[in-house]
Amino acid sequence: MAMIKCALCSSRYSEAEDLCPFCLSEQDKVDENAAEYTTLKRAFIFIQDEVWDKADEYCEKALDIDPECFYAYIGKILAENKASSIEDCIKINPSVASSRAMKSALRYADDKQHEVLYAITSKAAEASLGPVYNNAIELMGSEDVKDIIKAEEMFRSLGNYSDSRQQAERCKAKTEAALDDEYNKAFEKLGSYDTYTIRDAIDKLETMSFYKDSKLGIEAGKKRIKEIEDAKFAYTSKHPLLRNEL
């Protein structure tokens, strides 16, 4: 099959390809008379020579000429990640799919470039975010409130990935229900006359001190234990024979 040479990055690829697989340029749309063309050409030469800092510098120069230059953002992505193609870049650093430069490239791409770039970045997002999502789902099923809180944090860190936002809200609701149940049970125990039961309630409230009036409950529990112990001491002082029975 015949090969063609990219007018921008000079890479050779099959003429069956709609876009250059390295810089995503469309041969019939590369304007060699554009003011930024020579600057971009030099940037991609530096990328081929792996002179990454110079490549990034010339991409910035191209953006000074045309702030909406799609190819300049592609060049920056390659230079910043020391890769010769977008697909190699994604393999090296999947998180580049959500980088600022990538968002700009998608914004200024034409329809065909956007379709190809979006497919590549979506695949990268699945590779990097999928495991985090699955781990969050597993934690969400735990009976431990701390695990559910962690799951909510993980879902929120995923942004718009899959149904992460909805799952985060489910975690929030589940956490509030679980905390409310534990909170109410702990406060019921604070009314006990058994100091061990009250201490157990205090221990539980200390693990959720951020929730509602837990801190007030802790202080009330400590005060109640002191009152019970003072009352026992006063009583046994008058009835020493009963000291070991209380």
Side-chain angles (χ1 to χ4, degrees), residues 6 11 31 36 58 70 79 85 112 192 213:
C6 177
S11 300
D31 185 0
E36 71 275 11
Y58 273 79
F70 168 79
S85 72
K112 189 177 294 184
S192 172
D213 292 330

Side-chain angles (χ1 to χ4, degrees), residues 21-149:
F22 300 96
C23 68
L24 301 185
S25 66
E26 297 178 78
Q27 295 311 296
D28 58 344
K29 292 188 178 181
V30 174
D31 185 0
E32 297 185 20
N33 296 315
E36 71 275 11
Y37 175 77
T38 302
T39 305
L40 281 171
K41 188 77 173 175
R42 290 204 66 187
F44 279 97
I45 288 174
F46 282 127
I47 288 172
Q48 288 184 330
D49 292 341
E50 298 185 358
V51 185
W52 309 114
D53 55 342
K54 279 291 184 181
D56 187 69
E57 177 186 335
Y58 273 79
C59 286
E60 286 292 344
K61 289 181 178 180
L63 288 171
D64 287 338
I65 300 169
D66 179 8
E68 297 183 1
C69 180
F70 168 79
Y71 302 112
Y73 288 111
I74 291 296
K76 280 187 67 65
I77 293 167
L78 298 178
E80 289 171 358
N81 293 278
K82 300 180 179 180
S84 59
S85 72
I86 290 296
E87 289 198 354
D88 285 345
C89 182
I90 293 295
K91 290 176 184 177
I92 294 169
N93 179 19
S95 66
V96 75
S98 58
S99 69
R100 182 178 299 177
M102 184 64 78
K103 290 176 182 177
S104 295
L106 284 165
R107 184 181 304 122
Y108 302 122
D110 64 24
D111 290 345
K112 189 177 294 184
Q113 291 165 335
H114 190 280
E115 181 182 352
V116 172
L117 197 55
Y118 183 78
I120 294 172
T121 55
S122 296
K123 185 178 179 181
E126 183 62 37
S128 62
L129 303 181
V132 178
Y133 178 89
N134 292 335
N135 287 339
I137 288 290
E138 185 175 347
L139 286 173
M140 185 181 177
S142 172
E143 295 299 322
D144 190 328
V145 176
K146 291 181 180 178
D147 286 342
I148 303 170
I149 292 173

Side-chain angles (χ1 to χ4, degrees), residues 126-236:
E126 183 62 37
S128 62
L129 303 181
V132 178
Y133 178 89
N134 292 335
N135 287 339
I137 288 290
E138 185 175 347
L139 286 173
M140 185 181 177
S142 172
E143 295 299 322
D144 190 328
V145 176
K146 291 181 180 178
D147 286 342
I148 303 170
I149 292 173
K150 179 63 177 176
E152 181 185 348
E153 292 172 353
M154 292 169 73
F155 281 127
R156 295 201 185 281
S157 74
L158 294 174
N160 292 321
Y161 177 77
S162 188
D163 61 346
S164 293
R165 291 187 184 278
Q166 294 92 325
Q167 294 290 13
E169 290 304 313
R170 291 189 188 102
C171 285
K172 182 180 179 181
K174 188 174 180 180
T175 296
E176 289 178 351
L179 285 173
D180 207 50
D181 183 57
E182 292 185 0
Y183 176 87
N184 291 333
K185 287 179 179 178
F187 265 82
E188 286 178 9
K189 289 182 177 180
L190 291 179
S192 172
Y193 288 96
D194 179 30
T195 56
Y196 291 102
T197 299
I198 299 171
R199 286 193 177 94
D200 183 59
I202 291 173
D203 289 342
K204 175 56 69 176
L205 290 172
E206 285 178 340
T207 67
M208 50 192 295
S209 59
F210 57 89
Y211 190 69
K212 290 187 177 180
D213 292 330
S214 291
K215 289 182 179 180
L216 293 177
I218 292 168
E219 294 306 313
K222 291 178 179 178
K223 182 179 179 181
R224 182 163 175 75
I225 287 174
K226 186 176 186 306
E227 290 173 349
I228 291 172
E229 290 179 341
D230 287 347
K232 284 183 178 180
F233 179 78
Y235 186 81
T236 55

